[in-house]
Amino acid sequence: MTLNEDLLMLRDAARKFAEREIAPYAQAWDRDEYFPDEMIKKLGDQGFMGITVPEEYGGAGGNYMAFAIILEELARHDGGLCLAVEAHNGLCCGHILIGGNDDQKRKYLPALARGDQIGAWCLTEPNSGTDAAAMQTRAVQDGAHWVINGSKQFITNGERAGTYVVTARTGPGDRGAISAFIVERGTPGLSTGKREEKLGMRSSDTVVVKLEDVRVPAENMLGPEGRGFEDVKEVLKRGRVVISAMSVGFARGAVEEAVKYAHQRTAFGQPIFEFQAIQHKLADMMIQTEAARLMMYQSVSMLDRGLPTTREAAMTKVFASETATRVAMDAIQVLGGYGYLRDYNVERYMRDAKLIEIGEGTSEILRSLVAKTLRA
């Protein structure tokens, strides 16, 4: 697939930004498990924090292809920061765009799109991951307000979010109807736990979000009561497409780092690139990365055209995520002992890449989803 001139210009701008503002600091951010708050505003100034938000709500008005291109460029240098941008745009802003009314969009999206604040999406719970319909967080109506009680687990951006989209059960029983609410930072009863210590994506904050008698105005419900679960499925379907771009970014980074090293490192009197075993490994890494990118482009293009993408999103995420982990592991092998050191980037790509096989739908559940489409 060939990108048009506007998308090529966006890619080049995102690449230059990432090389200038992210690459020099990525290893330190990974080590410190933190990226500075000022990066959110810098990303907002570039239009990256509201890339799919329509211009009328203060965003860049881009499509999902634009979003995917930005994610690949950011992931090439730091998965944690990229994950923060993906969750902010694709999950928090994405849910508001899907389920919100005009008043809600005008109230909350401009600040999110500018990077004045970052958004968080609160779906997963300690005992409700893939089976989202089993969530236990509950909202009960009390006059002109809803009172929310529960706990959300593994929430990206949860520590510093200014706006939270929270799902809760509003129907009776353990599997009753689910609705979604916008909850503002500082609302009494909303608190966060300590930062989780993670294998990868370490620069992004991941926390438990606790809701204890959190009162939100009835007008903060996103969409009609009980429609939350349908909107969640749509958010995740779109998210699986664009998060695959992160996997492509990891794989691309691993290939580029491995090729560079192979030309510089000598053994037995010549660069190790001259050995056929290394050449074949690098070739396979490149082939797999390009295949993942083309698969991602196809799925994103279908999404932008309004075509059904449930199966395509699942296939793309499985293939791209597993490709990224495999290619990063191969890059470590090319670098040998140096690949195992934190002084080099490839071990970080491997740690970051693994999460994409888990988040927003595990490879196992997505394979089951694909298999269901194959029934006679």
Side-chain angles (χ1 to χ4, degrees), residues 50 52-62 106:
T52 61
V53 174
E55 293 180 6
E56 62 184 302
Y57 302 122
R106 292 189 183 281

Side-chain angles (χ1 to χ4, degrees), residues 149-222:
N149 281 280
S151 179
K152 298 293 183 176
Q153 181 79 41
F154 304 131
I155 305 305
T156 301
N157 302 333
E159 185 175 70
R160 42 181 153 190
T163 299
Y164 299 79
V165 172
V166 177
T167 54
R169 191 171 304 287
T170 53
D174 291 337
R175 300 185 76 88
I178 291 171
S179 302
F181 302 86
I182 299 174
V183 182
E184 299 176 15
R185 184 179 188 85
T187 302
L190 187 149
S191 63
T192 60
K194 70 174 183 66
R195 283 180 170 234
E196 302 288 2
E197 298 179 2
K198 300 173 294 186
L199 173 70
M201 307 284 195
R202 288 162 57 90
S203 65
S204 71
D205 61 279
T206 303
V207 298
V208 171
V209 173
K210 302 173 184 178
L211 304 116
E212 300 176 355
D213 292 329
V214 172
R215 296 178 63 86
V216 296
E219 59 264 27
N220 280 29
M221 179 182 283
L222 284 167

Side-chain angles (χ1 to χ4, degrees), residues 295-308:
M295 198 170 183
M296 180 268 291
Y297 279 173
Q298 177 182 344
S299 295
V300 174
S301 177
M302 292 176 65
L303 183 61
D304 279 333
R305 287 180 286 158
L307 299 175

Side-chain angles (χ1 to χ4, degrees), residues 248-298:
V248 175
F250 297 143
R252 187 185 115 212
V255 171
E256 291 176 357
E257 298 281 348
V259 169
K260 178 181 177 182
Y261 180 86
H263 281 285
Q264 294 175 344
R265 172 70 167 173
T266 59
F268 305 102
Q270 63 181 350
I272 64 171
F273 181 82
E274 299 303 324
F275 294 99
Q276 190 178 67
I278 298 296
Q279 292 177 355
H280 285 184
K281 187 174 288 292
L282 292 172
D284 285 342
M285 292 163 63
M286 188 65 181
I287 291 167
Q288 294 161 18
T289 299
E290 285 299 310
R293 179 184 287 111
L294 290 173
M295 198 170 183
M296 180 268 291
Y297 279 173
Q298 177 182 344

Side-chain angles (χ1 to χ4, degrees), residues 310-324:
T310 300
R311 181 171 68 177
E312 286 72 17
M315 293 192 300
T316 299
K317 183 174 177 295
V318 169
F319 183 79
S321 64
E322 295 183 359
T323 291

